[in-house]
């Protein structure tokens, strides 16, 4: 029976060595042998004279260097992995890289190996066939094999079937060992482990680039040599994770992700179509919060198309509106393959299906003909307005007269009656001699969709253009890039949407927990406005109260059921308005039609309220969508019920935040640091065992795929499409006016990799003489 000898060897690490007779052929040992547990360098806390930071690591490295061959031969390990970890840690301290060599599986139990050998990475020689090739287009990689004979071999004990013993160890090398500052670049010492992946993915999901992640982890670990991998390793790992996420196809991954959202959000809705080749064609989706927002604020719909937000150049359509805090709210979005009338018909029909058939009152879009025809087909009774910003830009493009563009913009936004508009338009066209201009004639025939004179009195919630969608496009461009695959696209879109909703929550908090300062003399009306409207909308109402001070009541006419007030501007009697007041129900109408257009009482109405001594705003002049309760209480989003189960990434973030405070306190004293590290090692070991036990039972449900990788939808990836919109800056050299030159022959039309002069020449010819 072997007698364990508890000793502290020259490296300063307490290990259990054994008196035993090694037999490399039989690998036999007593059944009662006790196995020692290998103590890795980062688990050691008993090093004498250790210092904080790098001093601890340096001390452990020195202890590995002082290990003798006999001490290593006497070690035992509970598993093959543990033996490999020891030899790799030893190699890191000495200054070389290792790799697995040969092994033999255990008879009757192939889950275990009978014996395993690790060798130095310099073992062996490169095959000569790689050196004798004459058709190479790239230079040879540098030689790394030197025929080094260093090796480490362990064998499983035949009787106990528990421990691995060292049967062969060769410590001599035939090549120089790496200096300490070069060791982190050796192959076997560069590995992105599971804990690193969790931290990296948390940072990548918020938009950090690999170089930024690497800088953070270098600072966090106390230096590059403690990170354990390079930027290139990190990029490669992220690329492999990206490939794994879409292993069944990009479209499959995206649809799987959207399908998984349904389990977290019962109101989540998505729908898609495929082409004749079963490739994804169009895709629409919306979540529960967007559907609740549309139920409250869906009276005005604005949507526009943006381009180059994904790898397939699919046009991205955002359907948005404005909330009671005057912030943009997104009702839904879609990815299109074609910008045809049929495609837009499908988008709007699907949008109606998702929103339970509720139709908007008004729609604001750009001047795309296919989009206009689809609105006429799906929303025949809606009031359609063309974007003023697009019209102004088109005016500058089609009529190259700067003065005309300025006059056209003024006339487009002028609040006047139809007769005055017709007169001013005729005078303007005649002045610039544009009677036969095709674009001018077309705009005049379509004036009911853009001229304020024709749109006055129709509710548009203060929107004259698609700038809210344009603003959303600019905002989402922080998250969406041209190289994003569909699976990444839908994830990044939801991340941007969540951050955008923070602005609405912030405005709602300001409304509920602060009170605007009263600055006018109509304290009763103004105070009532703070109680009724959200804080942002109240600013508009307060401005109208201030404007009322410049107005006077020229005269009043009393009729049977109403009173007519004729309002004039002080010192400008030519500016006048007529206001109707019905005393029975305190209903007020004004000729300016601001309430019908924007939903707030105008300054002329406020003059009548003051004249009638009304202490509060009449209920008929309070539009529900602008109030503090614009979203009904039954439709308030409950973020606590979005998901019953917390995702892996959320759990990781919660634990990281929780342990951060403990780490802060423990890092201020050496004894506290040692105690905290010891507890961390024990907890980590325990949790790792639980993780390994349950690893085979996990299902990858977060991305909507079955555990065995089965394809759920059978939808192929879409092709790259051609769009109507501006494709932006062309990055391909073959499409630019000045294509790039080949760095070898200086000719255009190809690069060095495809250079015809290099393809017929051996790479050795490029070497300097």
């Amino acid at each position: 029976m072997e007698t364990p000898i508890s000793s502290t060897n020259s490296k300063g690490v307490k290990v259990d060595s054994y008196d035993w007779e090694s037999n490399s052929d039989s690998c036999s040992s007593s059944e009662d042998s006790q196995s020692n547990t290998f103590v890795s360098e980062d688990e050691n806390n008993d090093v004498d004279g250790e210092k904080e930071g790098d001093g601890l690591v340096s001390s452990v490295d020195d202890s590995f260097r002082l290990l003798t061959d006999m001490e290593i031969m006497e070690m035992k390990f509970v598993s093959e992995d543990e033996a490999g970890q020891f030899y790799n840690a030893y190699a890191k301290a000495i200054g070389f890289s290792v790799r697995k060599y040969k092994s033999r599986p255990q008879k009757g139990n192939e889950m275990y190996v009978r014996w395993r050998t690790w060798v130095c990475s310099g073992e062996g020689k490169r095959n000569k066939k790689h050196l004798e090739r004459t058709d190479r287009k790239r230079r040879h990689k540098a030689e790394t094999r030197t025929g080094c004979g260093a090796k480490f071999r362990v064998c499983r004990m035949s009787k106990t079937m528990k421990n691995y013993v060292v049967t062969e160890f060769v410590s001599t090398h035939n090549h120089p060992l790496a200096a300490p500052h070069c060791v982190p670049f050796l192959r076997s010492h560069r590995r992105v482990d599971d804990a690193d992946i969790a931290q990296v993915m948390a940072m990548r999901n918020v938009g950090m680039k690999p170089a930024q992640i690497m800088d953070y982890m270098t600072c966090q670990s106390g230096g590059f040599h403690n990170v354990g991998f390079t930027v290139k390793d990190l990029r490669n790992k992220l690329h492999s994770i990206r490939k794994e996420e879409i292993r069944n196809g990009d479209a499959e991954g995206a649809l799987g992700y959207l399908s998984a959202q349904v389990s977290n959000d019962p109101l989540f809705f998505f729908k898609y179509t495929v082409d004749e080749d079963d490739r994804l064609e169009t895709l629409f989706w919306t979540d529960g919060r967007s559907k609740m927002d549309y139920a409250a604020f869906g009276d005005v719909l604005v949507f526009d198309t943006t381009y180059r937000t994904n790898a397939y150049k699919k046009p991205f359509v955002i359907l948005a509106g404005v909330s009671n805090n005057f912030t943009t709210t997104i009702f839904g979005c879609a990815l299109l393959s074609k910008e045809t009338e049929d495609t837009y018909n499908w988008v709007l029909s699907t949008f109606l299906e998702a929103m339970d058939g509720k139709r908007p009152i008004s729609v604001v879009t750009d001047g795309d003909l296919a989009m206009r025809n689809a609105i006429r087909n799906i929303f025949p009774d809606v009031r359609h307005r063309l974007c003023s910003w697009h019209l102004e830009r088109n005016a500058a493009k089609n009529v190259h007269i700067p003065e005309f563009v300025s006059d056209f913009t003024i006339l487009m936004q002028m609040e006047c009656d139809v007769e005055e508009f017709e007169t001013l338009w005729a005078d303007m066209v005649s002045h610039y001699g544009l009677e036969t201009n095709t674009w001018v004639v077309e705009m005049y025939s379509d004036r009911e969709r853009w001229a304020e004179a024709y749109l006055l009195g129709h509710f548009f919630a203060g929107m004259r253009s698609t700038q809210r969608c344009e603003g959303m496009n600019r905002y989402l461009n922080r998250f969406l890039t041209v190289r994003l695959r569909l699976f990444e696209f839908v994830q990044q879109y939801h991340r941007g949407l969540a951050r955008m909703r923070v602005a609405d929550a912030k405005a709602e908090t300001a409304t509920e927990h602060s009170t605007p300062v009263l600055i006018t003399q109509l304290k009763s009306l103004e105070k009532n406005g703070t109680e009724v409207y959200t804080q942002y909308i109240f600013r508009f109402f307060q401005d109208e109260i201030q404007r009322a001070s410049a107005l006077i009541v020229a005269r009043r006419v009393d009729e049977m059921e109403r009173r007519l007030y004729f309002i004039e501007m002080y010192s400008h009697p030519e500016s006048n308005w007529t206001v109707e007041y019905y005393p029975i129900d305190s209903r007020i109408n004004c000729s300016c039609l601001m309430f019908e257009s924007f939903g707030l009482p105008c300054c002329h109405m406020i003059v009548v309220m003051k004249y009638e001594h009304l202490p509060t705003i009449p209920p008929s002049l309070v539009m529900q969508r602008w109030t503090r309760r614009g979203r009904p209480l039954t439709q308030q989003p409950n973020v606590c019920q979005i998901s019953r189960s917390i995702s892996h990434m959320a759990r990781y973030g919660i634990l990281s935040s929780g342990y951060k405070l403990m780490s802060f306190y423990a890092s201020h004293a050496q004894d506290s640091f040692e105690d905290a590290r010891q507890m961390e090692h024990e907890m980590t070991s325990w949790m790792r065992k639980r993780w390994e036990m349950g690893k085979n039972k996990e299902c990858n449900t977060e991305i909507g795929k079955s555990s065995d990788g089965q394809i759920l939808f059978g939808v192929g990836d879409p092709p790259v499409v051609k769009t109507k919109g501006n494709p932006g800056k062309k990055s391909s050299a073959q499409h630019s006016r000045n294509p790039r030159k080949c760095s070898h022959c200086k000719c255009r039309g190809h690069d060095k990799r495809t250079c015809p002069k290099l393809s017929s020449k051996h790479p050795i010819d490029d070497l300097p003489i």
Side-chain angles (χ1 to χ4, degrees):
M1 177 176 179
E2 297 175 7
T3 304
I5 303 174
S6 179
S7 62
T8 302
N9 59 21
S10 58
K11 70 173 183 172
V13 181
K14 188 176 181 180
V15 298
D16 292 330
S17 59
Y18 297 82
D19 293 333
W20 61 286
E21 296 180 1
S22 63
N23 187 339
S24 59
D25 296 329
S26 63
C27 298
S28 62
S29 180
S30 172
E31 182 175 353
D32 297 329
S33 297
Q34 299 181 20
S35 64
N36 74 325
T37 300
F38 159 62
V39 183
S40 64
E41 57 177 321
D42 59 352
E43 291 180 348
N44 172 41
N45 288 311
D46 299 325
V47 181
D48 296 333
E50 65 187 13
K51 299 179 181 179
E52 292 184 17
D54 294 339
L56 178 62
V57 178
S58 177
S59 178
V60 176
D61 287 347
D62 291 340
S63 66
F64 274 103
R65 296 189 190 99
L66 295 175
L67 275 172
T68 64
D69 292 3
M70 183 58 66
E71 288 175 325
I72 294 177
M73 288 293 297
E74 292 174 349
M75 287 187 174
K76 294 182 180 180
F77 307 94
V78 297
S79 67
E80 173 201 357
D81 291 338
E82 191 177 80
Q85 291 172 15
F86 163 77
Y87 190 55
N88 194 54
Y90 170 81
K92 183 176 182 181
I94 299 301
F96 67 96
S97 178
V98 303
R99 73 173 190 271
K100 288 183 177 181
Y101 188 49
K102 294 181 179 179
S103 65
R104 176 177 294 178
Q106 183 74 42
K107 291 183 179 179
N109 190 354
E110 296 186 356
M111 293 179 59
Y112 300 96
V113 296
R114 172 71 172 157
W115 53 265
R116 163 72 71 184
T117 303
W118 291 266
V119 297
C120 173
S121 60
E123 183 273 340
K125 292 288 185 179
R126 181 177 297 181
N127 197 317
K128 291 184 178 181
K129 68 178 182 179
H130 299 298
L131 302 175
E132 296 172 353
R133 288 183 57 183
T134 59
D135 58 342
R136 295 184 63 91
K137 294 185 179 181
R138 296 185 179 182
R139 298 181 186 275
H140 291 280
K141 291 184 178 180
E143 284 279 6
T144 59
R145 305 291 181 91
T146 62
C148 181
K151 65 174 63 176
F152 179 73
R153 184 173 184 264
V154 297
C155 184
R156 189 175 180 84
M157 299 172 68
S158 59
K159 292 184 178 180
T160 62
M161 298 300 290
K162 292 181 180 180
N163 300 327
Y164 285 85
V165 298
V166 182
T167 60
E168 186 177 5
F169 175 67
V170 179
S171 60
T172 56
H173 298 264
N174 67 349
H175 57 87
L177 298 176
H181 66 279
C182 297
V183 170
F185 296 98
L186 299 180
R187 177 68 62 87
S188 68
H189 308 310
R190 291 158 36 200
R191 179 173 178 269
V192 188
D193 58 26
D194 294 331
D196 293 327
I197 293 171
Q199 186 174 13
V200 167
M201 294 302 295
M203 290 186 282
R204 191 194 75 158
N205 289 339
V206 297
M208 290 183 66
K209 298 179 180 179
Q212 296 171 324
I213 296 174
M214 190 67 186
D215 290 341
Y216 173 81
M217 301 191 76
T218 300
C219 179
Q220 175 184 255
S221 60
F224 174 78
H225 58 281
N226 292 328
V227 177
F229 51 86
T230 64
V231 179
K232 186 175 181 179
D233 298 329
L234 179 58
R235 294 182 189 275
N236 291 341
K237 190 64 178 179
L238 290 174
H239 179 67
S240 64
I241 293 175
R242 187 184 187 192
K243 290 179 63 177
E244 177 64 19
E245 289 173 339
I246 58 175
R247 65 184 184 273
N248 290 331
D250 190 17
E252 279 287 323
L255 294 176
Y257 174 84
L258 296 177
S259 178
Q261 300 304 306
V262 177
S263 60
N264 296 332
D265 182 1
L267 296 179
F268 194 92
F269 176 92
F270 76 98
K271 191 174 183 179
Y272 64 94
T273 63
V274 296
D275 58 17
E276 59 275 5
D277 298 324
D278 288 334
R279 303 172 75 176
L280 184 65
E281 189 172 32
T282 53
L283 173 63
F284 172 88
W285 74 94
T286 182
D287 62 359
R289 170 66 185 271
S290 294
K291 294 177 71 173
M292 290 187 293
D293 285 346
Y294 182 77
F297 314 118
D299 42 11
V300 180
L301 178 65
V302 52
F303 67 98
D304 192 19
T305 305
T306 186
Y307 306 91
R308 295 181 63 82
T309 56
N310 54 83
Y312 305 98
K313 298 183 180 179
K314 278 182 166 294
F316 180 49
V317 178
I318 299 177
L319 298 100
V322 57
S323 70
N324 57 339
N325 294 304
F326 215 68
T327 57
T328 302
T329 177
I330 294 182
F331 301 140
C333 57
L335 285 168
L336 313 179
S337 60
K338 298 175 290 186
E339 295 176 271
T340 62
E341 181 178 337
D342 291 338
T343 302
Y344 284 118
N345 283 337
W346 181 88
V347 170
L348 295 180
S349 299
T350 306
F351 178 75
L352 275 183
E353 179 184 352
M355 301 304 172
D356 300 324
K358 178 181 177 180
R359 299 173 183 269
I361 298 174
S362 308
V363 175
V364 182
T365 70
D366 61 14
D368 184 75
L369 183 59
M371 192 182 298
R372 291 164 60 180
N373 292 337
I375 292 173
R376 187 183 301 111
N377 296 334
I378 308 302
F379 302 142
D381 300 326
V382 76
R383 190 66 177 184
H384 185 194
R385 181 171 196 155
L386 300 180
C387 170
S388 60
W389 181 82
H390 282 90
L391 290 176
E392 185 176 352
R393 189 177 64 170
N394 291 338
K397 184 186 300 184
N398 291 277
V399 182
H400 304 288
I401 304 175
E403 293 79 7
F404 169 80
V405 177
S406 178
D407 292 344
F408 173 79
T409 303
I410 293 173
L411 187 57
M412 177 173 55
Q413 300 177 359
M414 182 178 293
E415 297 180 359
C416 60
D417 54 30
V418 174
E419 292 77 9
E420 184 179 359
F421 171 83
E422 295 289 345
T423 302
L424 294 174
W425 175 268
D427 294 341
M428 181 183 67
V429 172
S430 176
H431 175 73
Y432 293 106
L434 299 173
E435 292 86 349
T436 59
N437 185 282
T438 305
W439 184 85
V440 173
V441 173
E442 181 182 352
M443 285 297 99
Y444 177 73
S445 63
D446 210 23
R447 60 192 180 279
E448 293 183 356
R449 288 190 174 90
W450 56 265
E452 191 69 30
Y454 288 90
L455 297 172
L456 201 61
H458 297 279
F459 185 74
F460 286 98
M463 292 185 287
R464 292 180 175 177
S465 69
T466 60
Q467 283 302 291
R468 287 191 178 270
C469 281
E470 299 290 344
M472 282 296 96
N473 296 338
R474 289 193 299 271
Y475 172 79
L476 291 174
N477 280 340
R478 307 176 194 174
F479 309 94
L480 309 177
T481 63
V482 66
R483 292 177 295 177
L484 283 180
R485 297 290 177 179
L486 292 182
F487 177 78
E488 299 169 315
F489 179 88
V490 293
Q491 286 184 314
Q492 293 300 315
Y493 164 78
H494 284 122
R495 183 171 70 90
L497 181 61
R499 184 181 294 185
M500 185 201 72
R501 285 170 175 167
V502 172
D504 191 62
K506 182 179 179 181
E508 188 173 345
T509 302
T511 297
E512 294 295 333
H513 299 281
S514 62
T515 304
V517 177
L518 306 182
I519 59 176
T520 70
Q521 296 301 315
L522 302 180
K523 300 297 183 183
S524 179
L525 278 176
E526 193 176 10
K527 187 176 186 302
N528 181 242
T530 64
E531 298 169 351
V532 171
Y533 299 116
T534 62
Q535 195 168 93
Y536 199 98
I537 297 299
F538 171 75
R539 297 175 187 175
F540 294 116
F541 180 68
Q542 195 175 52
D543 292 341
E544 293 300 317
I545 294 178
Q546 290 181 304
R547 293 191 185 99
S549 62
L551 303 174
I552 61 174
V553 178
R555 60 192 179 94
R556 188 184 82 175
V557 177
D558 294 336
E559 297 182 354
M560 183 70 68
E561 297 180 353
R562 66 174 182 173
R563 298 169 187 166
L564 293 179
Y565 287 87
F566 297 92
I567 311 297
E568 295 179 356
M569 182 174 290
Y570 176 75
S571 73
H572 292 282
E574 69 278 4
S575 300
N576 54 81
W577 300 267
T578 303
V579 181
E580 300 176 340
Y581 174 65
Y582 295 85
I584 298 177
D585 54 1
S586 298
R587 184 161 45 92
I588 305 177
N589 298 324
C590 181
S591 60
C592 74
L593 300 178
M594 175 183 169
F595 179 77
E596 289 77 5
S597 301
F598 187 61
L600 278 181
C602 60
C603 54
H604 321 115
M605 293 179 174
I606 294 175
V607 171
V608 174
M609 294 181 202
K610 179 176 65 173
Y611 201 88
E612 293 288 343
H613 299 280
L614 299 181
T616 59
I617 305 171
S620 60
L621 298 182
V622 176
M623 186 170 285
Q624 177 68 23
R625 70 165 349 268
W626 295 132
T627 65
R628 290 169 173 257
R629 298 292 178 261
R631 186 185 289 111
L633 294 176
T634 57
Q635 297 176 347
Q636 294 288 339
N638 187 354
V639 295
C640 298
Q641 298 180 353
I642 289 180
S643 175
R644 294 182 179 179
S645 61
I646 306 176
S647 67
H648 156 67
M649 193 56 63
R651 292 192 294 267
Y652 173 81
I654 293 171
L655 291 175
S656 298
S657 300
Y659 283 104
K660 181 169 60 178
L661 188 60
M662 184 273 290
S663 302
F664 171 77
Y665 292 127
S667 62
H668 282 75
Q670 183 66 21
D671 54 349
S672 299
F673 166 74
E674 293 175 1
D675 293 340
R677 196 174 189 190
Q678 180 64 30
M679 289 187 290
E680 179 266 327
H681 287 324
E682 295 175 358
M683 180 65 74
T684 300
S685 177
W686 179 42
M687 287 299 171
R688 182 177 182 180
K689 291 179 181 178
R690 295 183 60 179
W691 172 74
E692 290 175 346
M693 291 174 59
K695 183 170 60 174
N696 296 330
K697 299 179 181 180
E698 291 181 353
C699 294
N700 194 3
T701 57
E702 292 187 4
I703 59 175
K705 297 175 183 175
S706 59
S707 58
D708 57 355
Q710 180 182 0
I711 297 177
L712 301 178
F713 297 92
V715 178
D717 297 344
V720 179
V721 300
K722 295 182 179 180
T723 60
K724 298 178 181 178
N726 183 9
K729 184 178 180 180
K730 297 179 181 178
S731 58
S732 176
Q734 60 185 1
H735 294 295
S736 60
R737 295 184 178 179
N738 296 314
R740 294 173 58 184
K741 295 181 180 179
C742 173
S743 60
H744 176 72
C745 66
K746 308 302 180 184
C747 297
R748 302 184 187 275
H750 62 270
D751 56 22
K752 188 175 181 179
R753 293 175 298 176
T754 58
C755 180
K757 295 184 179 180
L758 282 178
S759 60
S760 60
K761 183 171 61 173
H762 196 274
I764 197 68
D765 297 337
D766 289 335
L767 296 178
I769 300 176

